[in-house]
Amino acid sequence: DTEVTQTPKHLVMGMTNKKSLKCEQHMGHRAMYWYKQKAKKPPELMFVYSYEKLSINESVPSRFSPECPNSSLLNLHLHALQPEDSALYLCASSQDEPGQANNEQFFGPGTRLTVL
Amino acid sequence: QKEVEQDPGPLSVPEGAIVSLNCTYSNSAFQYFMWYRQYSRKGPELLMYTYSSGNKEDGRFTAQVDKSSKYISLFIRDSQPSDSATYLCAMSKSGTASKLTFGTGTRLQVTL
């Protein structure tokens, strides 16, 4: 089973709202990722959790806040977003086994976010 | 210069054709190479994953890596209308959790 699930599928929010995106995987993977993808562009990495330790893309604004409750779950908390943050938000996971080459990343279906 | 170059297309081919999709890269530190297929408004689906020069085959798909030329390819045999999608190449420098560097994606249309 190579499934990464994401909820919700679609989200519309105002600039003053607080919302959260959720991601879950049951493949025993130890690394999880958040990507942002704008239309007709490739995904851009936002955050990586590897063995529940966070690495950040420093260009990501603080209105995006990741949380990794455990190795199977990944949340992205959203607060005071701007209309330009409207995009497809993708979660991915990988095995991240040191010394092993099978660390390909598997993506979820994404959450399509619209900020009004 | 971008680290990974990929022709955005669109590429239009008739059903049954052999499709060749390509990416070039400039940084020899890239060691792991992936091809993803992405349908409109969906997440990327991993098609192929390789980490050595040479060919890797899976069904109608063949991935080819030439590290000396910094060139990777994906071949699709007997293309079908259901193959119509955007194909993204991606690569990373490390086998462990690390940033994927994507090409811009090539939009493929397979016509009846």
Side-chain angles (χ1 to χ4, degrees):
Chain A
D1 181 12
T2 57
E3 188 172 317
V4 177
T5 59
Q6 290 186 244
T7 55
K9 290 184 180 179
H10 303 275
L11 179 62
V12 179
M13 60 187 291
M15 290 189 283
T16 58
N17 292 156
K18 285 185 181 181
K19 297 286 184 182
S20 297
L21 309 184
K22 298 186 183 298
C23 176
E24 188 169 11
Q25 56 88 13
H26 294 288
M27 295 178 276
H29 288 176
R30 299 311 300 265
M32 296 185 76
Y33 311 76
W34 279 115
Y35 287 84
K36 174 184 177 181
Q37 187 178 26
K38 301 284 276 185
K40 299 188 190 304
K41 298 288 187 183
E44 297 175 46
L45 183 65
M46 301 175 73
F47 305 104
V48 181
Y49 273 95
S50 176
Y51 290 83
E52 296 165 45
K53 181 179 176 183
L54 174 64
S55 297
I56 300 174
N57 179 342
E58 293 183 354
S59 67
V60 177
S62 59
R63 54 187 184 266
F64 295 93
S65 173
E67 179 198 13
C68 189
N70 59 55
S71 59
S72 299
L73 293 172
L74 185 65
N75 300 321
L76 185 63
H77 302 299
L78 315 173
H79 173 53
L81 294 195
Q82 304 297 308
E84 61 263 30
D85 296 321
S86 299
L88 181 68
Y89 287 84
L90 294 161
C91 174
S93 71
S94 66
Q95 192 165 345
D96 196 28
E97 191 69 39
Q100 300 295 318
N102 54 337
N103 283 312
E104 56 267 52
Q105 292 184 25
F106 296 93
F107 283 82
T111 293
R112 184 154 300 280
L113 174 67
T114 302
V115 182
L116 301 176
Chain B
Q1 183 189 7
K2 291 181 182 176
E3 282 192 292
V4 180
E5 299 277 359
Q6 183 178 9
D7 186 336
L11 176 62
S12 183
V13 301
E15 183 179 9
I18 296 174
V19 176
S20 173
L21 304 166
N22 311 295
C23 288
T24 58
Y25 61 97
S26 56
N27 193 331
S28 59
F30 288 126
Q31 297 294 323
Y32 299 86
F33 306 93
M34 284 136 275
W35 284 96
Y36 288 89
R37 177 175 64 195
Q38 188 172 25
Y39 293 111
S40 181
R41 306 175 78 84
K42 303 289 185 184
E45 173 192 1
L46 181 67
L47 291 176
M48 301 291 279
Y49 174 75
T50 60
Y51 49 88
S52 57
S53 284
N55 293 353
K56 180 178 180 180
E57 189 172 319
D58 185 359
R60 295 186 296 113
F61 300 95
T62 299
Q64 189 174 79
V65 173
D66 183 346
K67 289 186 178 180
S68 61
S69 301
K70 300 189 183 66
Y71 189 88
I72 66 171
S73 299
L74 178 71
F75 298 96
I76 307 174
R77 288 183 299 282
D78 188 24
S79 56
Q80 304 295 310
S82 59
D83 294 326
S84 300
T86 295
Y87 290 79
L88 294 152
C89 66
M91 46 199 80
S92 66
K93 300 171 186 174
S94 166
T96 54
S98 63
K99 176 186 173 183
L100 287 182
T101 301
F102 285 89
T104 52
T106 298
R107 192 156 60 91
L108 171 67
Q109 182 74 38
V110 180
T111 57
L112 291 168

